[in-house]
Amino acid sequence: MDHSGLSLFPPQLLCLYTLDIKFMIKLLSFFLLTFLSMTSMAQSTMNIVPLPQTIEMKAGTFMLDKNFSIQYALENPELKRLDIFLRGQLKNRFGIKVSNKKNHTPALIFTIDEKLTRLGNEGYTLIIAPDQIKITAPNSKGIFYGIQSFLQCIPFQSNQKSLAIPCTFIEDQPRFGWRGMMLDVVRHFFTVEDVKNFLDIMSTYKMNVFHWHLVDDQGWRLQINKYPKLTSVGAWRMETPGAVYYAKNDSLTGTPKRYGGFYTQQQARDIVQYAADRNIMVIPEIEMPGHSQAALAAYPQFSCENIPQEVASSASDFAKLYSNYCPSNDSTFIFLQDVLNEVMNIFPSPYIHIGGDEVDKRDWKKHAKDQALIKEKNLKDENGLQSYFIHRIADYLKAHGKNIIGWDETLDGGLSPDALVQSWRGTSGGIAAAKQKHGAIMSPANPLYFNRYQGDPKTEPFAAKFTINTLKKVYQYEPVPVELDSAQTKYIIGVEGAVWVEFIKTYPQVQYMLLPRILALAEVTWSAKKDRQWDGFLKRLPYQFKLFAKEKWNFDEKNTTFEDVK
């Protein structure tokens, strides 16, 4: 007996029944694929980092292909620059060559509307509709950030001839105006192209301040025409193969080799312009009064000891070095003013970072002229002498339209009224600065120093060991201290991460330490506190990893979920 049950139907009906089954399977498959495709496209729009303030999915898709054009007011050179930038990104990242036709659809339209004051100085709206895309902002900065969000709405697909972008409405603006990253180029030197790549990564995630650590004990990295020995001598040191920072090893037998490099003034200007084209302000750091061994190796007369010394190396014994400028020597200030004149001529930013951290004051304590100056100026102690030094430099810069930034040690002994404080020894410096009505940049080493481990030290490349600054720890950092009242919180102007490079010898390793932690920092600095959610952030990372791979940026996915057990 036939138990299939189909024999009960006539052959004609059986044929129709079979056709209907096949049709229904195809129909269900079509709807399933369409749903999955729409879900995938919707997810692509939700992949944006940092997370926008408002994002709404709309019906329909925009088809991006070779007929796509960019339209804006032709008389605006800033929008022309952004046109060129977007064309380059679309071609390099997605293989889309934009049409040169004007008034052509489909199109992306840039519109500057100065009446959009509610969006602040960097906000924008992005509307993706089936027939066109519009980015509107009060100025070109907002247009640029709208472009960066738009680029992250585009899916990575194998067929790059036509890309379907889900329709979306975004209205966005940053939480903090200061969203920074610092790169140390002293302990190890990186090329102009390396620095530009660092800026590319920053701009992709809407970071807008590049703090460039150009001067320290181990090297002077900026050409100063009036004092050529700063680079002919100060930019180079002798390194013994196998030497490791902070681990003196007298048993090393390798032949020391000359190591170093510097940026010409023209190269520095080129980097400043490259950054400006990406809405990034470059802040140079010229260390003083401490961390100045490289300068004093070139010009020892500006130290208290006036003893010729070598540029510090990774194996140097700092107990035997004197790396402070002499505050009782007027020629010291003439020298620094000359240097700062050339620095100000290169860097148009309203700020110069003067360091001011970790000043070893032992040479001041035994120097008769310094002790006499303390008495003459009625200073309390060597902290007061440091304050005198910094005030004198700050006054000079103020007379030239610049203000200083210093690490939180600059609070010791008092600080000039317009100075900014960068808090790195935890949050206490930022709290103290805000209570004294100084602008504060929050940069606590734990968790915002990206030279520290981000994953399991057993499997990660050698790094600074003080704390393990995981991706999650960076993401969960809250920059506004609870110790401040509502009136004081306005002095927390922003946040900055740092890449110190004592243990980072190559630029790919810089990328490795930066990624993906800069994405977490970007979201901390840009996105609304109430909208930040760790699980949601993790879901947006796979798209970003595709971008990293496309750009050939060095990273490791395993570091996204590592959590320090301590």
Side-chain angles (χ1 to χ4, degrees):
M1 181 181 290
D2 184 0
H3 295 285
S4 67
L6 296 180
S7 59
L8 300 175
F9 295 95
Q12 298 87 345
L13 290 177
L14 180 60
C15 181
L16 289 173
Y17 175 84
T18 305
L19 287 173
D20 286 344
I21 290 290
K22 290 179 179 179
F23 175 75
M24 289 300 293
I25 290 173
K26 288 182 179 179
L27 189 63
L28 287 171
S29 297
F30 170 78
F31 282 120
L32 179 61
L33 289 172
T34 300
F35 172 76
L36 291 175
S37 176
M38 290 177 65
T39 302
S40 175
M41 286 189 294
Q43 184 61 38
S44 74
T45 302
M46 295 301 292
N47 285 324
I48 299 173
V49 175
L51 184 69
Q53 301 279 357
T54 300
I55 182 167
E56 299 174 4
M57 303 303 302
K58 302 293 183 180
T61 58
F62 178 93
M63 299 306 297
L64 178 64
D65 57 26
K66 65 180 181 180
N67 294 317
F68 180 72
S69 67
I70 300 171
Q71 300 174 19
Y72 53 93
L74 294 177
E75 66 274 10
N76 191 315
E78 283 294 301
L79 296 185
K80 176 65 176 176
R81 174 179 63 80
L82 295 177
D83 177 356
I84 295 170
F85 174 82
L86 178 55
R87 287 171 184 269
Q89 294 295 304
L90 289 172
K91 182 179 179 181
N92 296 335
R93 193 178 296 181
F94 302 103
I96 298 292
K97 187 175 181 181
V98 176
S99 170
N100 288 320
K101 295 179 181 178
K102 299 299 179 185
N103 301 318
H104 183 71
T105 56
L108 186 152
I109 302 171
F110 298 153
T111 303
I112 290 181
D113 183 354
E114 296 178 354
K115 295 180 181 179
L116 282 175
T117 55
R118 74 176 188 279
L119 297 180
N121 192 42
E122 299 177 290
Y124 66 92
T125 62
L126 168 63
I127 300 173
I128 302 175
D131 58 338
Q132 69 176 15
I133 299 170
K134 290 186 69 175
I135 300 176
T136 307
N139 53 43
S140 61
K141 289 182 180 180
I143 299 291
F144 179 79
Y145 294 131
I147 288 173
Q148 293 290 17
S149 290
F150 164 64
L151 288 169
Q152 292 188 46
C153 290
I154 304 173
F156 286 101
Q157 295 175 194
S158 57
N159 176 16
Q160 302 280 27
K161 292 182 179 180
S162 180
L163 300 173
I165 307 174
C167 293
T168 311
F169 169 80
I170 294 174
E171 183 168 291
D172 201 11
Q173 63 184 115
R175 181 184 179 193
F176 291 102
W178 190 290
R179 306 180 300 280
M181 277 301 308
M182 190 220 75
L183 177 63
D184 168 15
V185 295
V186 176
R187 281 52 178 258
H188 288 98
F189 180 72
F190 305 106
T191 68
V192 169
E193 291 308 310
D194 293 337
V195 175
K196 287 182 176 180
N197 178 262
F198 194 88
L199 295 168
D200 286 338
I201 296 173
M202 286 181 60
S203 68
T204 298
Y205 299 104
K206 303 184 177 76
M207 307 293 279
N208 67 349
V209 177
F210 175 49
H211 174 177
W212 202 6
H213 188 78
L214 289 163
V215 174
D216 215 302
D217 295 314
Q218 296 82 5
W220 185 286
R221 300 287 177 233
L222 180 66
Q223 177 189 30
I224 301 296
N225 293 326
K226 192 166 184 177
Y227 297 96
K229 288 201 296 183
L230 285 173
T231 47
S232 65
V233 174
W236 308 92
R237 64 178 186 257
M238 299 305 293
E239 283 288 355
T240 303
V244 177
Y245 271 91
Y246 315 126
K248 190 173 182 295
N249 189 343
D250 293 326
S251 66
L252 293 173
T253 58
T255 302
K257 296 183 179 180
R258 191 170 183 253
Y259 176 86
F262 65 92
Y263 306 96
T264 67
Q265 293 195 5
Q266 184 53 49
Q267 287 175 324
R269 288 190 177 93
D270 180 35
I271 287 170
V272 168
Q273 184 58 56
Y274 190 87
D277 289 343
R278 287 152 183 77
N279 282 0
I280 296 173
M281 176 174 60
V282 182
I283 307 291
E285 182 175 358
I286 309 297
E287 278 271 14
M288 61 184 79
H291 280 296
S292 303
Q293 180 59 33
L296 296 175
Y299 297 98
Q301 64 267 37
F302 303 126
S303 68
C304 294
E305 301 298 322
N306 195 14
I307 299 174
Q309 299 182 89
E310 295 182 350
V311 177
S313 71
S314 60
S316 289
D317 183 357
F318 278 87
K320 298 178 181 179
L321 295 178
Y322 295 95
S323 58
N324 292 348
Y325 292 116
C326 183
S328 61
N329 186 350
D330 279 341
S331 65
T332 296
F333 293 97
I334 295 172
F335 163 73
L336 289 172
Q337 288 168 8
D338 290 340
V339 168
L340 291 171
N341 287 342
E342 295 194 33
V343 171
M344 288 186 285
N345 193 38
I346 299 167
F347 298 93
S349 71
Y351 302 100
I352 303 293
H353 204 303
I354 53 90
D357 62 311
E358 299 177 327
V359 179
D360 181 359
K361 303 179 179 71
R362 58 196 166 97
D363 50 339
W364 292 356
K365 290 181 179 180
K366 65 180 184 179
H367 188 58
K369 288 183 66 177
D370 288 344
Q371 292 302 308
L373 183 61
I374 289 175
K375 292 180 180 179
E376 177 191 339
K377 299 295 182 181
N378 197 27
L379 305 174
K380 184 177 180 180
D381 53 18
E382 286 75 25
N383 285 336
L385 190 57
Q386 175 174 321
S387 179
Y388 162 82
F389 188 106
I390 290 172
H391 270 276
R392 192 162 170 178
I393 293 297
D395 289 345
Y396 184 78
L397 290 173
K398 186 70 175 177
H400 290 76
K402 306 283 187 178
N403 288 316
I404 68 164
I405 307 172
W407 299 103
D408 54 55
E409 289 96 329
T410 56
L411 285 165
D412 299 340
L415 196 57
S416 57
D418 298 310
L420 300 182
V421 174
Q422 187 163 1
S423 184
W424 74 277
R425 297 177 300 177
T427 60
S428 59
I431 293 168
K435 288 183 176 180
Q436 295 176 33
K437 299 184 179 181
H438 290 290
I441 303 158
M442 303 305 287
S443 301
N446 178 14
L448 299 186
Y449 273 21
F450 294 170
N451 57 311
R452 300 185 178 185
Y453 284 106
Q454 60 182 320
D456 188 347
K458 295 177 182 178
T459 60
E460 285 292 283
F462 183 64
K465 300 178 180 179
F466 303 101
T467 55
I468 299 178
N469 292 345
T470 64
L471 180 70
K472 187 174 185 179
K473 188 186 287 187
V474 175
Y475 191 81
Q476 293 180 335
Y477 172 64
E478 170 49 42
V480 179
V482 296
E483 293 87 344
L484 300 179
D485 61 33
S486 58
Q488 294 164 340
T489 58
K490 68 180 181 181
Y491 292 102
I492 305 298
I493 65 170
V495 192
E496 195 174 293
V499 182
W500 300 99
V501 298
E502 287 93 336
F503 308 128
I504 303 176
K505 297 182 179 181
T506 67
Y507 184 70
Q509 184 66 10
V510 171
Q511 290 179 330
Y512 183 88
M513 301 302 280
L514 190 65
L515 300 168
R517 287 185 286 190
I518 192 174
L519 279 69
L521 179 62
E523 199 136 303
V524 167
T525 61
W526 182 283
S527 304
K529 179 182 177 181
K530 63 180 178 59
D531 294 332
R532 294 204 332 256
Q533 185 183 47
W534 170 244
D535 290 340
F537 175 71
L538 285 181
K539 290 177 182 177
R540 283 176 279 133
L541 289 184
Y543 176 91
Q544 304 301 329
F545 295 157
K546 291 180 182 179
L547 172 57
F548 297 172
K550 181 70 175 178
E551 298 286 355
K552 299 182 179 178
W553 296 342
N554 188 29
F555 75 104
D556 192 335
E557 289 187 35
K558 75 175 185 296
N559 290 324
T560 60
T561 55
F562 179 79
E563 294 191 33
D564 186 11
V565 295
K566 294 181 181 179

